[in-house]
Amino acid sequence: MKKYNNKKIERHWQKVWAKSDLYAAEDWSEKQRYYCLVEFPYPSGDGLHVGHVRSYTAIDIIARKKRMQGMNVLYPIGWDAFGLPTENYAIKTGKHPAIVTAENIKTFKRQIKSLGISFDWNREINTTDPNYYKWTQWIFLKLFEKGLAYKKKMPINWCPKCKIGLANEEVIDGSCERCGTQTEKREMEQWMLKITAYADRLIEDLETVDYLEKIKTQQINWIGRSYGAEIDFQIQGREERIKVFTTRPDTIFGATFIVLSPEHELVNRIVTTEQEKDVLKYQAQARAKSELERTQLQKEKTGVFTGAYAVNPATHKEIPIYIADYVLTTYGTGAIMAVPAHDERDFEFAKKYEIPIVQVIQPPKIKEHRPLESNIASAGAYGHLQSEIEDQCWSGEGTLVNSSTFNGLDSEIASSMIVAWLEKENIGKKTTQYHLRDWVFSRQHYWGEPIPIVYCEKCGAVPLPEKDLPLELPMVERYEPTDTGESPLASIDYWVKTTCPDCGSPARRETDTMPNWAGSSWYFLRYIDPKNKKQLADSEKLKYWMPVDLYNGGMEHTTLHLLYSRFWNKFLYDINVSPVSEPYYKRISHGMILAPDGQKMSKSRGNVINPDELVEEYGADVLRLYEMFMGPYDQPVAWDLNGVRGIRRFLEKIYSFDNWNENEGREIISLLHKSIKKISDDIEKRHFNTAVSTMMIFVNKIQEKGCSKKSFQIFLQLLSPFAPHLAEELWNSLGNNDSIFREKWPEYDASLIVDEEMEIVVQINGKLRDKLVVSADIDENEVKTMAKESEKARKFLEGKEPKKIIYVKGKLVNIVV
RNA sequence: GCCGCGGUGGUGAAACUGGUAGACACACAGGACUUAAAAUCCUGCGGAUGCAAAUCCGUGCCGGUUCGAUUCCGGCCCGCGGCACCA
């Protein structure tokens, strides 16, 4: 028996392929183009993860099949190499981040190459390469030019351990996403990108793309658009008005108080002398509370009366103004009209501070009414509907009551009528609010793209002219972050001190760098023309290749990278750089690979599976095939070494196959054609696990019955995207001189997959009782008769006359008695 | 709390638009080969009863539709992921 020497085979073919142009994408080819993309890795010091192998292999299978189907496939790879872990590692070891990065890339590259993924290495990119980040900086300048990049003093999430400002997206439960330390608020001047200007388009254009439904919903929820109105409430005895945002203008008649966020700018002006002490104290408390306390300790509402009153424009009643930290400064106008009868939070607050609760919405179905005890007395001021106020508030829609001329209307109609009235009176207008905030784009770190701005004593913030790009990161010895929050770049005098590009006066460079999301927000465009020195990419080439047909990536990037890169592409589309308004036509996601113990793999748990060892011991093809077979591609699965051994056995079986039979029967040919159909379909649907099991069934069968050379070669073609080295080796050893990957993908013959004989199930009352083997062209009545007369069936019929006989062609006969 | 996904053997899982539940693989058990082991090959493998033939039960739980439900409908239970004082 031949010994399956995977190492020798894999090394040999990897060398042969590297010298060929097999996997090179061809600009302008007449063939149909296909651009498939995997998220480029961050080359961390840990090396490649088995999770990378899963998605790279899956898309590799698709890429290889599409090439064999005659398509011009672009399947590129690169390195998303700026980032904090590299900088931290550099600080710890004293090795420069650029050197660390180069080493890590070398490891990743060796590991990926050992897997036989058909990447087009001619298009390799690296976000830390000045020739690349020149264009990242260029995009920033364009954003600045269009007013979409701006500087703002704002409280940012500050991680005291990493000494870095974090975007809202990087803060999880009030803690740093990376190190888990609780974040603080710090007021700092930050560069911001106006992603909110694209909020509507980022929602609406989702309709034009084919993303997994859960990805779309997650993005929509993250943007969090809500329609409503801004309404002005006159402050009693003052000229000023308070602007509130509400999604429920229909409840305005039930607004019995106003709540301002503690930080609201009006607070200090309207507070009365008697209340001032309490208010100041509360404000101080609110400031001291961390984000975590403010969001997590939501058990009880707290707040303070300001002493001031406003007038409800609908009821003309005087209503008290409170401050409370359940109203956020950062959302809406930082002020609300509180409608305790129809909002849970307002209800809770009103009960605690004994504020009147007035029902103005009748729920669609009137349930049992339980009269409210505590607040009836104070509600008495309104003098009505006491008995109808429920113990629980109703926050849904319904029919308006106690709302003057709007009584009897449904919430939806009432809302628009009330808004129309407010607009006419000039005290309100329709508006839209988003949860999405502008993107905090500054990082006080060394290992990132320098922001190409200088501050001139005379001209202020001045963008660098395009000819001065790239603005290179200076090579320095020290890159520790500072406690002051300034970037390490700030201490490099010779770099910071410069002259104004406009007027020549002394100027200082911006010392903040870009976040690591910058380089990955446009990389899919650079693959198309990675060596272009004059432009980000040639516009004709972009037209040829864009959009990406298939984009695979992790769910964890749905609200970060995916949203950011869609935003940047839309911007580039608006300035006529990108030819498409949506960069990715289809977005899919792979399930995570868990450790054998079912836990997430992590260094600290010591349960990480290293792909190098698997390639070494079992071979790249085994690893690839195992990861495709282990479970449904989009679901998480736990690693199982025994499964790997099973796949090794399967490949050895193929390698040593020798049961040749040139007179194979129709059974084998038919099975082969069924397999062609099934495997082709499964690859399209990404059901890789069942594609592999189809191959196993075929191999089991030909081991038993024998198989012709011709059929075996077709089988090798089906196997080749999954186990490219083995398939190529056997293909070659059967006397083929050219690569199997230049072969055409097999097509099945429909007439060959029809069976000559079929098995018909006989059921009595839906229960399986017998099986019949009949010829495929049998007549319906004949089957029915056979079924009735089958010995086993007769036993259950006991001479009873069937009421009904159901026949499903090719499947079953069901006799109902 | 809201949104999304899922629940099938000892394990990973299959099952097209309702039609043989458990394909394929792993683990396990028995056997062959071997001085022995590994490897390989053969057999069995959802549960219960039974010497066997066979019968009954079985896709989270309860109910419905249907000749027939893992699949469709209604109600619940559990697990996972995301968001969360967003007015």
Side-chain angles (χ1 to χ4, degrees):
Chain A
M1 200 160 73
K2 293 193 286 183
K3 181 156 185 323
Y4 173 35
N5 185 339
N6 58 280
K7 260 184 240 172
K8 204 174 140 200
I9 294 170
E10 285 168 7
R11 241 179 262 142
H12 172 70
W13 289 110
Q14 279 162 16
K15 257 189 236 158
V16 173
W17 294 333
K19 278 185 234 152
S20 77
D21 60 351
L22 270 176
Y23 310 139
E26 198 188 328
D27 297 327
W28 322 123
S29 162
E30 293 287 306
K31 294 176 181 173
Q32 195 188 335
R33 63 146 193 89
Y34 189 81
Y35 185 0
C36 49
L37 185 63
V38 286
E39 284 175 350
F40 63 162
Y42 174 69
S44 76
D46 302 336
L48 204 69
H49 187 274
V50 284
H52 291 119
V53 180
R54 192 179 199 186
S55 51
Y56 298 175
T57 304
I59 306 306
D60 188 45
I61 289 166
I62 293 169
R64 286 178 184 274
K65 173 176 174 255
K66 300 267 178 199
R67 283 193 205 98
M68 290 170 87
Q69 285 176 318
M71 289 178 160
N72 179 28
V73 172
L74 171 54
Y75 186 31
I77 187 74
W79 318 104
D80 185 16
F82 274 129
L84 208 46
T86 305
E87 181 165 316
N88 288 341
Y89 181 80
I91 290 166
K92 214 166 39 181
T93 60
K95 241 186 216 173
H96 194 278
I99 294 166
V100 177
T101 298
E103 286 175 3
N104 290 350
I105 288 176
K106 206 176 150 201
T107 308
F108 264 71
K109 204 164 168 175
R110 174 187 58 74
Q111 291 185 299
I112 292 175
K113 288 200 163 182
S114 79
L115 294 167
I117 310 281
S118 66
F119 287 127
D120 181 352
W121 288 100
N122 301 322
R123 294 169 184 262
E124 181 183 350
I125 56 171
N126 176 346
T127 55
T128 64
D129 177 350
N131 292 319
Y132 181 91
Y133 70 69
K134 171 180 177 178
W135 299 104
T136 313
Q137 292 172 330
W138 181 84
I139 295 168
F140 179 86
L141 290 179
K142 289 288 164 192
L143 286 161
F144 181 77
E145 189 185 311
K146 303 285 175 193
L148 292 167
Y150 62 99
K151 222 172 177 191
K152 190 183 165 195
K153 185 153 195 163
M154 64 169 310
I156 59 149
N157 309 297
W158 175 261
C159 172
K161 185 160 174 232
C162 302
K163 294 172 184 171
I164 192 171
L166 301 167
N168 289 323
E169 289 85 337
E170 292 168 307
V171 179
I172 313 289
D173 285 337
S175 300
C176 172
E177 178 189 55
R178 240 179 284 280
C179 68
T181 310
Q182 202 170 305
T183 60
E184 303 163 354
K185 289 278 175 201
R186 275 208 188 183
E187 284 269 324
M188 286 174 87
E189 283 257 304
Q190 299 288 315
W191 281 101
M192 307 286 293
L193 296 188
K194 219 178 205 160
I195 189 171
T196 50
Y198 283 76
D200 280 320
R201 284 165 69 191
L202 288 168
I203 292 177
E204 264 127 46
D205 291 353
L206 285 172
E207 279 172 28
T208 67
V209 293
D210 178 16
Y211 291 6
L212 288 177
E213 216 39 56
K214 62 173 169 178
I215 296 177
K216 286 191 184 181
T217 13
Q218 254 188 52
Q219 290 218 343
I220 291 167
N221 291 344
W222 186 263
I223 296 167
R225 178 166 64 185
S226 43
Y227 296 110
E230 273 178 15
I231 303 171
D232 294 343
F233 281 67
Q234 186 64 52
I235 300 169
Q236 193 71 282
R238 288 181 147 266
E239 281 300 296
E240 285 155 305
R241 292 164 163 190
I242 295 173
K243 207 178 263 305
V244 305
F245 173 73
T246 180
T247 54
R248 293 295 300 277
D250 56 315
T251 62
I252 189 167
F253 285 85
T256 54
F257 59 108
I258 294 280
V259 187
L260 304 179
S261 73
E263 299 88 356
H264 198 284
E265 44 127 16
L266 272 175
V267 176
N268 297 327
R269 270 183 278 151
I270 62 168
V271 63
T272 59
T273 344
E274 307 89 77
Q275 293 297 314
E276 195 167 12
K277 215 177 120 196
D278 287 350
V279 167
L280 287 175
K281 194 174 147 205
Y282 188 80
Q283 283 180 317
Q285 277 170 358
R287 218 173 304 126
K289 275 192 197 174
S290 68
E291 189 84 350
L292 187 73
E293 286 169 317
R294 250 179 103 153
T295 53
Q296 277 202 334
L297 304 177
Q298 49 181 273
K299 282 164 240 140
E300 203 176 337
K301 299 277 174 289
T302 58
V304 176
F305 179 44
T306 60
Y309 290 86
V311 179
N312 181 327
T315 62
H316 303 293
K317 293 218 154 67
E318 214 175 55
I319 57 175
I321 303 169
Y322 281 76
I323 63 169
D325 65 3
Y326 79 91
V327 171
L328 308 172
T329 322
T330 45
Y331 184 74
T333 59
I336 61 159
M337 64 173 209
V339 185
H342 306 290
D343 182 282
E344 297 278 357
R345 297 149 299 178
D346 299 345
F347 179 75
E348 206 185 305
F349 193 84
K351 272 179 92 172
K352 182 166 171 186
Y353 294 97
E354 301 190 347
I355 307 167
I357 298 169
V358 178
Q359 186 193 16
V360 291
I361 302 289
Q362 190 78 55
K365 258 189 251 162
I366 302 160
K367 289 185 187 151
E368 190 195 343
H369 283 244
R370 280 194 294 149
L372 221 153
E373 294 129 44
S374 58
N375 291 82
I376 286 176
S378 39
Y382 287 77
H384 42 62
L385 282 173
Q386 290 182 4
S387 60
E388 288 186 32
I389 297 168
E390 294 181 49
D391 192 21
Q392 280 191 333
C393 83
W394 166 254
S395 55
E397 302 200 326
T399 311
L400 270 73
V401 292
N402 200 19
S403 299
S404 166
T405 54
F406 300 99
N407 283 340
L409 295 171
D410 282 343
S411 289
E412 205 179 315
I413 302 156
S415 278
S416 48
M417 285 178 68
I418 286 169
V419 171
W421 162 69
L422 291 166
E423 280 176 343
K424 206 180 85 205
E425 298 287 320
N426 206 22
I427 47 173
K429 62 170 201 268
K430 216 162 123 179
T431 53
T432 307
Q433 282 293 332
Y434 305 90
H435 295 189
L436 183 72
R437 316 282 163 75
D438 277 345
W439 175 6
V440 180
F441 198 67
S442 293
R443 292 301 120 97
Q444 294 71 42
H445 269 277
Y446 171 74
W447 195 231
E449 299 89 344
I451 291 173
I453 296 283
V454 302
Y455 299 100
C456 167
E457 288 169 0
K458 287 183 190 154
C459 321
V462 179
L464 280 190
E466 197 183 318
K467 67 168 174 52
D468 289 352
L469 297 184
L471 170 60
E472 290 199 33
L473 200 54
M475 285 293 273
V476 292
E477 299 282 315
R478 299 177 56 80
Y479 19 76
E480 282 86 346
T482 61
D483 273 321
T484 61
E486 260 191 322
S487 155
L489 288 175
S491 58
I492 308 166
D493 259 11
Y494 73 87
W495 188 79
V496 173
K497 282 186 185 156
T498 183
T499 51
C500 172
D502 280 1
C503 71
S505 310
R508 287 176 55 84
R509 286 192 196 283
E510 169 63 64
T511 56
D512 281 357
T513 52
M514 300 187 197
N516 62 326
W517 307 107
S520 60
S521 290
W522 68 281
Y523 75 115
F524 46 91
L525 297 171
R526 188 63 176 176
Y527 280 137
I528 288 167
D529 197 6
K531 294 177 182 105
N532 198 321
K533 293 236 150 114
K534 295 197 185 99
Q535 303 163 74
L536 180 156
D538 178 79
S539 63
E540 290 304 310
K541 287 184 187 172
L542 288 173
K543 261 183 221 153
Y544 176 80
W545 284 109
M546 287 298 286
V548 173
D549 292 277
L550 179 69
Y551 190 22
N552 183 94
M555 279 310 289
E556 71 275 19
H557 291 136
T558 303
T559 50
L560 298 164
H561 162 67
L562 196 60
L563 204 61
Y564 293 153
S565 59
R566 288 181 61 222
F567 159 48
W568 273 35
N569 180 76
K570 279 188 188 302
F571 169 70
L572 293 171
Y573 173 71
D574 290 348
I575 61 165
N576 292 318
V577 175
S578 173
V580 289
S581 71
E582 279 296 329
Y584 320 118
Y585 174 65
K586 191 179 180 112
R587 167 82 178 188
I588 58 165
S589 174
H590 55 268
M592 208 195 305
I593 296 183
L594 305 169
D597 56 12
Q599 302 270 40
K600 212 165 154 172
M601 284 186 197
S602 75
K603 257 204 294 192
S604 55
R605 282 204 190 89
N607 56 4
V608 179
I609 304 284
N610 182 349
D612 275 346
E613 290 165 18
L614 292 155
V615 170
E616 176 69 22
E617 189 170 352
Y618 299 98
D621 284 340
V622 170
L623 177 59
R624 292 172 57 117
L625 212 65
Y626 169 66
E627 291 208 11
M628 293 301 99
F629 185 60
M630 67 194 299
Y633 180 63
D634 52 7
Q635 268 166 236
V637 225
W639 192 266
D640 173 20
L641 192 59
N642 284 318
V644 178
R645 296 195 184 103
I647 293 290
R648 171 79 194 192
R649 281 199 279 269
F650 173 56
L651 290 191
E652 277 170 357
K653 224 189 268 185
I654 296 171
Y655 185 74
S656 55
F657 178 80
D658 60 357
N659 190 9
W660 302 110
N661 176 6
E662 290 308 314
N663 296 316
E664 61 192 348
R666 162 129 184 163
E667 190 191 3
I668 297 297
I669 294 176
S670 174
L671 183 63
L672 177 66
H673 282 259
K674 280 180 191 163
S675 303
I676 296 171
K677 181 174 194 297
K678 174 81 174 140
I679 292 164
S680 306
D681 290 349
D682 278 350
I683 293 173
E684 289 307 310
K685 290 190 244 163
R686 298 179 304 284
H687 294 173
F688 304 109
N689 53 337
T690 49
V692 175
S693 78
T694 303
M695 292 186 237
M696 288 171 168
I697 292 168
F698 181 79
V699 171
N700 289 345
K701 189 52 101 178
I702 61 171
Q703 267 214 322
E704 183 195 334
K705 299 277 170 82
C707 165
S708 70
K709 232 178 181 178
K710 190 177 153 215
S711 293
F712 192 74
Q713 291 196 32
I714 291 172
F715 167 75
L716 288 178
Q717 289 171 28
L718 296 174
L719 176 72
S720 67
F722 293 82
H725 311 90
L726 176 65
E728 185 80 296
E729 171 74 15
L730 293 175
W731 179 257
N732 182 265
S733 72
L734 287 172
N736 299 288
N737 293 322
D738 204 353
S739 169
I740 191 168
F741 298 105
R742 295 203 202 277
E743 287 300 305
K744 238 185 133 248
W745 184 252
E747 278 176 27
Y748 67 93
D749 181 337
S751 70
L752 289 173
I753 62 176
V754 180
D755 291 312
E756 290 172 316
E757 285 192 328
M758 56 191 188
E759 198 183 59
I760 299 286
V761 166
V762 180
Q763 293 181 339
I764 315 288
N765 289 336
K767 281 210 158 118
L768 171 71
R769 294 303 176 195
D770 200 5
K771 291 174 184 179
L772 306 170
V773 176
V774 298
S775 89
D777 50 9
I778 192 164
D779 177 77
E780 178 173 339
N781 287 325
E782 206 178 326
V783 185
K784 285 182 177 172
T785 314
M786 280 174 74
K788 266 192 288 187
E789 283 168 6
S790 106
E791 212 175 298
K792 285 175 188 161
R794 256 193 315 199
K795 224 169 72 188
F796 287 91
L797 289 171
E798 292 165 352
K800 277 179 268 182
E801 202 40 44
K803 262 193 245 162
K804 198 166 157 193
I805 301 178
I806 291 147
Y807 175 60
V808 182
K809 197 163 185 298
K811 290 256 162 69
L812 58 80
V813 178
N814 188 12
I815 304 171
V816 187
V817 287

